[in-house]
Amino acid sequence: MSAPPPTVRRPRRLGWPRRVFSQVLLMQLAVATGVTVLATGLFLAPLSAQLDDQAMRRALSIAQSTAAQPQIAESLLATEPEPRGPVQSAAERIRRATGAEYVVVMDRRGVRWSHPDPARIGRVVSTDPGEALAGLEVREIDDGTLGRSARGKVPLRDASGDIAGAVSVGIAYDSVRARLLAAIPGLLAYAGGALAVGALAALLISRRLQRQTHDLAFSDIAALLTEREAMLHSIREGVVALDRTGRIRLLNDEAQRLLGVGPEASGRPLAEALGTGRTADVLAGEVAGEDLLTVRGSRVLLANRMPTADGGAVVTLRDRTELEHLGRELDSTRGLIDALRAQDHEHANRLHTLLGLLELELHEDAREFVTEVVGVHRATAEQVAERVRDPLLAALLVGKATVATERGVALRIAPGTLLPDRLVDPRGLVTVVGNLVDNALDAAAGSDGALVEVGLRTEGRTVVLRVRDSGPGVPPAQRGSIFTEGWSTKELPAHGRRGLGLALVRRLAERQGGSVAVDTADEGGAEFTVVLPEAMTEAESDRAGAAR
């Protein structure tokens, strides 16, 4: 058995890190270091100039104090420049008392009468004393026989106020530099402390960012964003993302199609983008539960809402319109099968009766029996066709009458019913009538004198539909909620959903600018009234009159 190949370790290359956490930390440290260095430099630059100015002011102040002593001017005029003279003694005393580098007293010719080096007394000064001898006060930093110093020069006046000479005082520049250097450690300590605090804050912020980004690299985040966009806009389910305030953060193409909104809905509150209603309530989480049904326009939607960690939510939407239609068709088919099965037994009984009459040779009774049975069905069909001229709606009512008979319910057309064959949307009215009649049959079945009455009449181009039953009726407290999607008092059918029939009736009525209402019928049951404006086309006579 051969040994596995050795693992080759590639050397790690130094470079810019890939993780968001590391990049942000390095950038924050670089920014904090740069700001600290810049702030330190900006502080040191004016500090140096400030120390120079303080040194020059101190030298000028000492020179002014020296020149203010009258004995110095008197000794200058009365004696000769010599190392042990009174001017040298007074100047040295002042120098030692103030800590100055030198205190030089000179006459009008620029000859020194005092100097820290006695050998230089009696010689001309090394710098030009012209401004001071002219009566001006001078502050400067200059080089002299003792090196670089901060200087102050003032005129020296005698008792009468005439200029007898000048006084020049110097502060060693090394002491100014020493003060500056002495301030730097403390400044660097403060800067280091500020940098440490900034680095700690940068580390904490980066750690939080690391948790929030799951330690991903920028390239990974960009790839995830690209993949998310591609996935969201390619799946066949609607996805709506909401923030904690109920504002739409994202909705994919399918969600836009199902909700009937455009991309401009992103960034807007739910109530503003969708309007009020159950759909907005379901998306906002005001209706709790799983697989919640809602109707948006002509679509039946199934919504599921999942909260997110930041207080928002993600809602998925599925289109169940076709499935609901298939489920209703299945319910109708099963109802028809039951009715046909009952009719089969009924027809078998009638055939047996007819066969017995024929075997007994009661031919006249047999003829009357057949005429009566056929006549009942023909009369019902003729009555419906005479009052309801639209073929789709007439066929629906004839079929419902057969189903009602098998269920022990009398379905009749109300007096005064007359509907011309000029419907704008026959299929929509078929849906409305079918749902209301089915609900009425369910309510009336089993009641005493079970009855369902359907009335249709027109007022101009408006169709008014009334369906009443002999059932228990709708309590007043529930009349405001029976048109809500998902509300039902019946058991679940095979396809697992109820509570859409009346909601669809309301939506179809509102789509045509109409309304639906429920009240108590005269027999105590429920009476539904649907008003559909503009449901009829103009009559030929009306169009002809308008043309004339």
Side-chain angles (χ1 to χ4, degrees):
M1 184 175 181
S2 60
T7 303
V8 179
R9 293 186 177 181
R10 297 181 179 179
R12 299 182 63 182
R13 294 180 296 178
L14 296 178
W16 189 249
R18 295 179 65 249
R19 303 296 181 188
V20 176
F21 158 74
S22 302
Q23 292 187 23
V24 172
L25 179 60
L26 287 180
M27 287 188 291
Q28 288 179 329
L29 289 177
V31 171
T33 303
V35 170
T36 303
V37 171
L38 180 61
T40 303
L42 292 177
F43 181 78
L44 287 177
L47 177 61
S48 177
Q50 184 179 5
L51 291 176
D52 291 345
D53 184 69
Q54 288 178 356
M56 289 186 292
R57 288 179 180 275
R58 181 184 171 203
L60 183 63
S61 177
I62 295 173
Q64 291 172 342
S65 299
T66 302
Q69 298 183 18
Q71 65 272 20
I72 293 180
E74 294 174 358
S75 299
L76 178 68
L77 295 175
T79 63
E80 294 296 328
E82 54 184 24
R84 296 183 179 276
V87 176
Q88 170 70 358
S89 299
E92 283 299 295
R93 186 177 63 254
I94 295 173
R95 182 182 69 81
R96 288 190 295 270
T98 59
E101 185 179 20
Y102 64 84
V103 176
V104 175
V105 180
M106 68 193 78
D107 59 12
R108 292 186 59 84
R109 298 171 298 169
V111 177
R112 300 187 186 95
W113 286 65
S114 66
H115 196 276
D117 183 5
R120 297 182 184 274
I121 296 174
R123 298 180 183 180
V124 178
V125 296
S126 59
T127 57
D128 183 18
E131 293 182 350
L133 294 175
L136 301 178
E137 294 182 349
V138 179
R139 292 185 306 162
E140 61 183 358
I141 295 178
D142 202 357
D143 295 320
T145 57
L146 296 179
R148 192 170 182 80
S149 60
R151 303 181 178 187
K153 299 178 181 180
V154 297
L156 179 63
R157 302 178 184 273
D158 58 16
S160 60
D162 297 329
I163 296 176
V167 178
S168 176
V169 177
I171 303 296
Y173 200 72
D174 290 341
S175 65
V176 178
R177 185 181 295 109
R179 291 181 60 192
L180 177 61
L181 294 177
I184 290 178
L187 180 62
L188 291 180
Y190 285 114
L195 181 60
V197 173
L200 179 60
L203 180 62
L204 295 177
I205 294 174
S206 300
R207 286 291 185 185
R208 181 181 180 185
L209 185 61
Q210 182 184 24
R211 292 192 300 269
Q212 292 180 340
T213 59
H214 302 284
D215 200 21
L216 294 175
F218 278 114
S219 57
D220 297 333
I221 295 176
L224 287 175
L225 179 61
T226 303
E227 293 170 1
R228 187 201 70 163
E229 291 296 318
M231 178 183 65
L232 286 177
H233 294 288
S234 63
I235 61 177
R236 300 308 299 168
E237 284 192 0
V239 178
V240 181
L242 307 171
D243 62 13
R244 66 177 62 190
T245 63
R247 190 178 299 271
I248 298 175
R249 287 193 296 199
L250 178 144
L251 68 167
N252 65 350
D253 299 339
E254 184 67 7
Q256 296 176 23
R257 184 183 72 86
L258 295 178
L259 296 176
V261 298
E264 67 279 358
S266 181
R268 297 165 59 188
L270 271 176
E272 180 181 337
L274 304 182
T276 58
R278 177 176 170 84
T279 302
D281 294 341
V282 169
L283 266 63
E286 297 180 8
V287 181
E290 297 180 354
D291 293 339
L292 297 174
L293 281 174
T294 181
V295 178
R296 179 71 178 177
S298 59
R299 299 186 182 279
V300 179
L301 306 179
L302 193 66
N304 281 282
R305 190 176 190 272
M306 177 64 67
T308 56
D310 61 353
V314 174
V315 184
T316 58
L317 302 172
R318 284 178 284 170
D319 190 353
R320 289 184 58 94
T321 306
E322 296 298 328
L323 184 59
E324 288 297 327
H325 288 169
L326 291 175
R328 290 185 172 279
E329 289 181 4
L330 178 61
D331 287 345
S332 299
T333 302
R334 288 186 175 181
L336 289 176
I337 291 175
D338 293 339
L340 289 175
R341 186 180 295 113
Q343 283 188 348
D344 178 60
H345 289 289
E346 182 67 21
H347 282 299
N349 292 332
R350 289 171 180 170
L351 288 177
H352 291 157
T353 302
L354 180 61
L355 179 61
L357 291 173
L358 292 176
E359 288 180 352
L360 294 175
E361 296 183 356
L362 300 175
H363 302 290
E364 186 64 25
D365 293 335
R367 184 182 64 79
E368 292 179 358
F369 178 75
V370 171
T371 301
E372 180 183 357
V373 171
V374 174
V376 170
H377 291 284
R378 181 179 299 171
T380 302
E382 290 178 352
Q383 181 186 20
V384 172
E386 179 181 358
R387 297 185 180 183
V388 180
R389 307 291 175 80
D390 182 80
L392 288 179
L393 195 56
L396 172 70
L397 291 175
V398 171
K400 295 296 183 184
T402 302
V403 174
T405 300
E406 300 303 328
R407 299 184 62 178
V409 180
L411 175 64
R412 72 185 184 190
I413 305 300
T417 295
L418 182 60
L419 183 68
D421 186 13
R422 293 187 288 109
L423 289 175
V424 174
D425 183 15
R427 294 183 180 275
L429 188 56
V430 165
T431 300
V432 172
V433 174
N435 283 322
L436 291 180
V437 171
D438 286 342
N439 288 341
L441 291 177
D442 291 338
S447 62
D448 295 335
L451 171 68
V452 173
E453 184 179 83
V454 179
L456 286 161
R457 60 185 177 85
T458 60
E459 298 176 358
R461 297 182 58 186
T462 301
V463 172
V464 179
L465 165 66
R466 282 190 174 87
V467 178
R468 64 184 183 91
D469 59 68
S470 59
V474 179
Q478 296 181 354
R479 291 176 184 176
S481 58
I482 61 173
F483 297 102
T484 303
E485 299 97 270
W487 189 94
S488 179
T489 58
K490 306 175 186 177
E491 296 181 358
L492 291 179
H495 57 285
R497 290 290 181 271
R498 276 204 183 273
L500 290 177
L502 292 178
L504 288 175
V505 169
R506 183 184 66 176
R507 290 300 176 90
L508 289 172
E510 291 177 349
R511 190 172 64 182
Q512 299 185 22
S515 62
V516 57
V518 60
D519 205 345
T520 303
D522 295 338
E523 293 79 5
E527 179 176 291
F528 288 84
T529 302
V530 181
V531 179
L532 301 175
E534 308 296 326
M536 303 289 293
T537 60
E538 293 184 0
E540 292 293 338
S541 58
D542 295 338
R543 287 195 292 268
R548 289 196 296 270

